[in-house]
Amino acid sequence: MMLNYRLLALSVDGAILKDNSRLSRTTKEAIEFVRNKGVYVTLVTHRSYQQANKIAKALRMEHEMICYGGSLIAGRADKPLYAQRMPVEMARDITFELERFGCQIIVEHENFELTNRLHQPQNLLGRMTVSVSESLFYPQTVVEHISDHIDLHRIAPLRMKVDFDRNEEKEAAIEHLRSIIPGLNIVEQEGDIPSVHLKLNEANKSETLLYLGLELGIHPEEMVAVAAKEEDEEMLNAVGLGVAMGQSSLQLRKSADWVTRSNDQDGLAYMIKEVFRKQMNVSKQHL
């Protein structure tokens, strides 16, 4: 008997969104199709709660979302289902050490962001303007000494984003943090700006997705996950059907159970129709 998949976990960048960051009508219709079969559809993304929520609203999705690369399961920002926060002392120590490097630090909480005032070369200030403009969903506080502010206000963040002036600064900072801060997960980001995400080791997409499944009574083998980035390889291997987008790296495609077309070829919609077309309706799950 064919197994009914009960949960569909979707990465945003490279899966739901095309390379031009647009959401196609075909993708919307495919997600609506699978939701009508009673499948629990959730976003799993490195994006913030507000950014993910904007996409969820466009898709008319009402289920919980996994945000900040696995640090948060949120339905409403003021009442998260699950959160892996950095302890205050850890966050203070990280920012204290980073303040000696040429970088912009953004401390992320689900309700606000905190960033440092820069006294750096003009090229970094220009990059900072781009980075800050991506965070307009939030109240953002700019402070002189971010480590002191964290300590004073007892802030336990979900994650930190760090943009560096030069790649050499990034490499030196990574080596330094790894040598003195245990339990820290450092994820290097793709793009023109040397950048990293910092979070707890426990804050990863695969473990958080399995936790959500446990809360819903859905087993890993009843899950389908779709992604396009190598950082999501562990998540694809943790579920019953791991699907790589067609434009993914060779490594991700080799480790996946199924490879669909690229995002610009509506690969997500193609996969949904192929995998779920003959599936019987399943009971809708609610928290």
Side-chain angles (χ1 to χ4, degrees):
M1 186 175 73
M2 185 180 70
L3 174 69
N4 267 7
Y5 293 114
R6 301 172 58 200
L7 184 149
L8 176 61
L10 302 175
S11 177
V12 172
D13 296 291
I16 290 178
L17 298 182
K18 292 180 176 290
D19 285 346
N20 61 6
S21 298
R22 301 295 294 271
L23 179 62
S24 76
R25 181 176 178 179
T26 304
T27 296
K28 289 182 182 180
E29 291 173 348
I31 292 173
E32 181 77 14
F33 165 81
V34 78
R35 288 177 62 237
N36 287 338
K37 284 184 170 286
V39 175
Y40 188 103
V41 183
T42 187
L43 302 182
V44 184
T45 178
H46 69 86
R47 293 183 180 227
S48 68
Y49 165 75
Q50 272 79 356
Q51 290 171 326
N53 194 42
K54 183 178 180 182
I55 294 166
K57 285 182 177 179
L59 293 167
R60 292 184 289 184
M61 291 170 54
E62 299 177 352
H63 290 155
E64 280 65 24
M65 301 172 294
I66 297 173
C67 311
Y68 302 97
S71 295
L72 182 77
I73 303 177
R76 300 192 307 272
D78 60 342
K79 192 176 181 181
L81 171 68
Y82 169 92
Q84 283 283 2
R85 302 183 189 278
M86 289 183 182
V88 174
E89 292 75 16
M90 181 181 190
R92 177 201 61 205
D93 291 348
I94 290 170
T95 51
F96 178 80
E97 297 298 331
L98 284 173
E99 284 170 338
R100 71 179 68 183
F101 294 93
C103 62
Q104 181 199 11
I105 308 162
I106 301 176
V107 176
E108 296 181 286
H109 186 276
E110 64 266 33
N111 295 321
F112 64 86
E113 290 184 348
L114 179 69
T115 190
N116 55 319
R117 191 183 310 280
L118 290 179
H119 305 285
Q120 298 294 338
Q122 193 64 37
N123 60 333
L124 181 60
L125 293 176
R127 289 173 175 180
M128 182 198 72
T129 303
V130 173
S131 186
V132 170
S133 71
E134 295 170 353
S135 305
L136 296 180
F137 294 100
Y138 292 94
Q140 189 175 72
T141 302
V142 180
V143 297
E144 194 72 31
H145 298 291
I146 201 166
S147 55
D148 291 343
H149 193 89
I150 286 173
D151 199 29
L152 178 63
H153 296 279
R154 310 307 293 168
I155 296 171
L158 293 163
R159 186 179 64 185
M160 297 181 193
K161 296 186 294 186
V162 190
D163 291 341
F164 293 90
D165 184 26
R166 295 177 295 114
N167 195 61
E168 292 80 5
E169 290 272 348
K170 184 191 79 170
E171 297 301 327
I174 288 174
E175 183 178 358
H176 181 63
L177 289 176
R178 282 180 174 155
S179 69
I180 63 169
I181 307 289
L184 181 63
N185 184 7
I186 303 175
V187 183
E188 298 188 53
Q189 300 301 299
E190 299 175 1
D192 296 333
I193 301 174
S195 179
V196 297
H197 286 170
L198 309 177
K199 55 185 180 175
L200 291 180
N201 274 333
E202 299 86 348
N204 64 77
K205 294 176 183 176
S206 58
E207 291 298 323
T208 305
L209 179 60
L210 295 181
Y211 177 90
L212 178 60
L214 187 64
E215 289 291 304
L216 295 167
I218 298 175
H219 300 293
E221 61 268 23
E222 298 175 299
M223 300 180 184
V224 179
V226 187
K229 308 290 185 183
E230 282 190 18
E231 64 190 59
D232 293 329
E233 182 177 354
E234 184 179 353
M235 180 178 70
L236 297 191
N237 291 332
V239 300
L241 183 66
V243 179
M245 299 297 294
Q247 81 281 5
S248 304
S249 69
L250 180 60
Q251 177 180 328
L252 189 68
R253 284 183 276 129
K254 280 186 173 181
S255 67
D257 303 305
W258 213 81
V259 179
T260 187
R261 298 169 181 170
S262 72
N263 55 339
D264 281 342
Q265 296 172 317
D266 288 317
L268 176 58
Y270 175 76
M271 182 282 300
I272 287 175
K273 292 295 176 67
E274 289 294 308
V275 172
F276 291 94
R277 179 175 6 185
K278 296 180 181 179
Q279 174 165 310
M280 300 293 290
N281 285 6
V282 296
S283 299
K284 292 187 178 182
Q285 303 293 319
H286 299 281
L287 289 183

